[in-house]
Amino acid sequence: MFTVALLVFSGHAASAGVITFEDAYAALGNGGDPATYYSSEGVTIGGVNSGVIGGIGNGDPGNWQLEGTVGSAFLGCNQGDSCSPTFNFASPVDDVTLDIGISYQSANFTVSGYLDSTLVDSDSFTVSAGTVGGTWDTFSVDGPVDEVVVSSSFNDGGFFYGIDNVNFSSATPEPATFSMLLLGAAGLGIGAYRRRRQN
């Protein structure tokens, strides 16, 4: 019985990922387009954004006055409310968190998660104006989702912000693998039953 339970539990193929933009900045340079940079992790980045930004620790190219939450680099947006970065996942994920930061201004942000273009969950609140280095807050959506969209509404004429530390995880079983494990567990159960009957 324990063997069967263990096999069924192991059928849940957990996966997780984190995007800190440090590697993308090193590879693409300031303002580089990370659209397909993380495709090997099952993520593409689209929508309106300003690319990967170096942050204060990299000399603050562009004078953003922001420092990422994990290292210096971050995904930048300097088109105000028309900026709408998207994160598309090759397979649905269960949970997504990300940090949004601003320095001189305050703004209302909404992070929305979609599955097949249908809204699943959203998280909204105001990130207050901070100091050099920025004020960062963490947003989260619960899935399953295959797309996450960030939108903003600036309160005082501001126009730029950063996104960093994008975490995503999934514990959704792969259907083929899960079915094979169930069949294997059934086979073990039948074998144990036959041995018990013979004894």
Side-chain angles (χ1 to χ4, degrees):
M1 190 70 163
F2 175 75
T3 305
V4 172
L6 182 62
L7 281 170
V8 171
F9 179 76
S10 67
H12 290 269
S15 63
V18 59
I19 298 174
T20 66
F21 300 103
E22 299 305 304
D23 51 344
Y25 177 74
L28 304 172
N30 196 63
D33 182 2
T36 59
Y37 185 82
Y38 295 102
S39 58
S40 63
E41 298 178 43
V43 183
T44 56
I45 299 172
V48 179
N49 66 76
S50 302
V52 182
I53 305 301
I56 292 173
N58 290 310
D60 199 13
N63 193 32
W64 288 68
Q65 298 296 299
L66 282 175
E67 181 79 351
T69 56
V70 180
S72 293
F74 54 88
L75 181 70
C77 292
N78 67 357
Q79 291 92 359
D81 295 342
S82 65
C83 204
S84 59
T86 63
F87 299 87
N88 297 91
F89 300 91
S91 299
V93 294
D94 288 337
D95 301 291
V96 180
T97 64
L98 54 83
D99 298 334
I100 299 178
I102 54 181
S103 57
Y104 301 120
Q105 65 279 330
S106 64
N108 304 309
F109 291 95
T110 298
V111 177
S112 303
Y114 297 87
L115 181 63
D116 297 328
S117 301
T118 300
L119 180 65
V120 173
D121 190 25
S122 65
D123 191 10
S124 301
F125 54 88
T126 299
V127 180
S128 300
T131 58
V132 172
T135 300
W136 292 82
D137 283 302
T138 301
F139 292 73
S140 63
V141 293
D142 295 325
V145 298
D146 57 16
E147 181 181 40
V148 170
V149 179
V150 178
S151 59
S152 62
S153 175
F154 283 87
N155 300 322
D156 50 11
F159 63 92
F160 70 89
Y161 62 93
I163 298 172
D164 199 10
N165 195 27
V166 181
N167 284 270
F168 53 95
S169 62
S170 176
T172 304
E174 294 290 337
T177 303
F178 190 61
S179 298
M180 289 178 67
L181 285 168
L182 282 177
L183 286 174
L188 285 173
I190 291 170
Y193 175 74
R194 284 185 179 165
R195 279 193 299 276
R196 190 174 283 173
R197 279 192 64 189
Q198 288 173 353
N199 291 338

